[in-house]
Amino acid sequence: MSDGSGVIDLSTILDRHPDKTIDDLVLNEPVFQDEKIHGSYYSFTPCIPFNEPLSKPVCKEAALCKKSADNKTYTQLGDQTNVQFVTSVNGRVHMEFINTAGNISTSLNLICNASAQDTLAGKGMVNATLYDLDLVSPCCCVNGCLPGLSAGSILLIIFFSVLVCYFIAGVLYNKVVFDARGTALLPNYDFWASLPGLIKDGYFFFLSPCLGDQVGSRKYERL
């Protein structure tokens, strides 16, 4: 946001729909497909273009596409290259799509609802050249769908935090209690000093069935 309050990241909507596949940077089908609004059907995908219908596309590399009620007529309302975000005086954000070929303008209002399912709704066609739609999603909220830390990242943070605390506490303990100096300050120094060698031995032991007599560190004759 221009006021520094955060970001609205609609690309994360794609993560909420993992069933949608991408072929050559074009979605095989839109995230929102054939959403019925006042008798017509609308399709929309943020950030990545789609083709519709897939067999003989009329809406090519589109962001927004409208299909008539009889499934015969398709109208491309906008593409990913001709769109801008606009913030109104009341702070609401909407996307403006322009189809210069058909002189069609579409306003897609971003409706923040932290508990809602992703939904495409709105008024639909206002007149022959103007459309008004609503995108309702938690991802329309400021900082609503920012990617979080994975379970693996959290475990790594915990592991290294505990490791740092272990070394700091161990050094302080050895210094205060034993008046240790140099490498003796490190807790369990003998173990940490031998760890590289233990890792090497484990590596060769694991590979020995594959390498056979090629393992240079073998200490025993083969029977």
Side-chain angles (χ1 to χ4, degrees), residues 98-193:
I98 305 295
N99 181 349
T100 54
N103 194 28
I104 298 173
S105 175
T106 303
S107 177
L108 181 65
N109 306 299
L110 306 185
I111 309 299
C112 168
N113 190 326
S115 60
Q117 296 290 329
D118 298 335
T119 306
L120 189 66
K123 299 177 182 178
M125 186 174 71
V126 178
N127 56 53
T129 60
L130 180 63
Y131 290 80
D132 187 79
L133 299 172
D134 295 335
L135 176 62
V136 183
S137 171
C139 299
C140 293
C141 303
V142 177
N143 299 331
C145 286
L146 291 181
L149 293 175
S150 65
S153 299
I154 294 174
L155 288 176
L156 285 175
I157 292 173
I158 294 175
F159 171 76
F160 284 107
S161 298
V162 171
L163 191 65
V164 170
C165 291
Y166 161 78
F167 275 107
I168 292 176
V171 167
L172 292 176
Y173 180 82
N174 289 338
K175 178 64 177 177
V176 174
V177 176
F178 301 109
D179 194 27
R181 299 178 184 277
T183 56
L185 283 170
L186 297 176
N188 299 310
Y189 171 75
D190 292 338
F191 166 76
W192 294 110

Side-chain angles (χ1 to χ4, degrees), residues 5-18:
S5 59
V7 297
I8 295 177
D9 186 1
L10 296 183
S11 66
T12 50
I13 290 180
L14 297 170
D15 299 331
R16 295 159 60 87
H17 300 267

Side-chain angles (χ1 to χ4, degrees), residues 59-81:
C59 296
K60 298 179 179 180
E61 298 190 2
L64 268 169
C65 184
K66 174 198 171 187
K67 182 173 65 175
S68 62
D70 59 6
N71 296 331
K72 294 182 178 180
T73 304
Y74 289 82
T75 304
Q76 183 159 335
L77 301 181
D79 57 56
Q80 304 291 359
T81 60

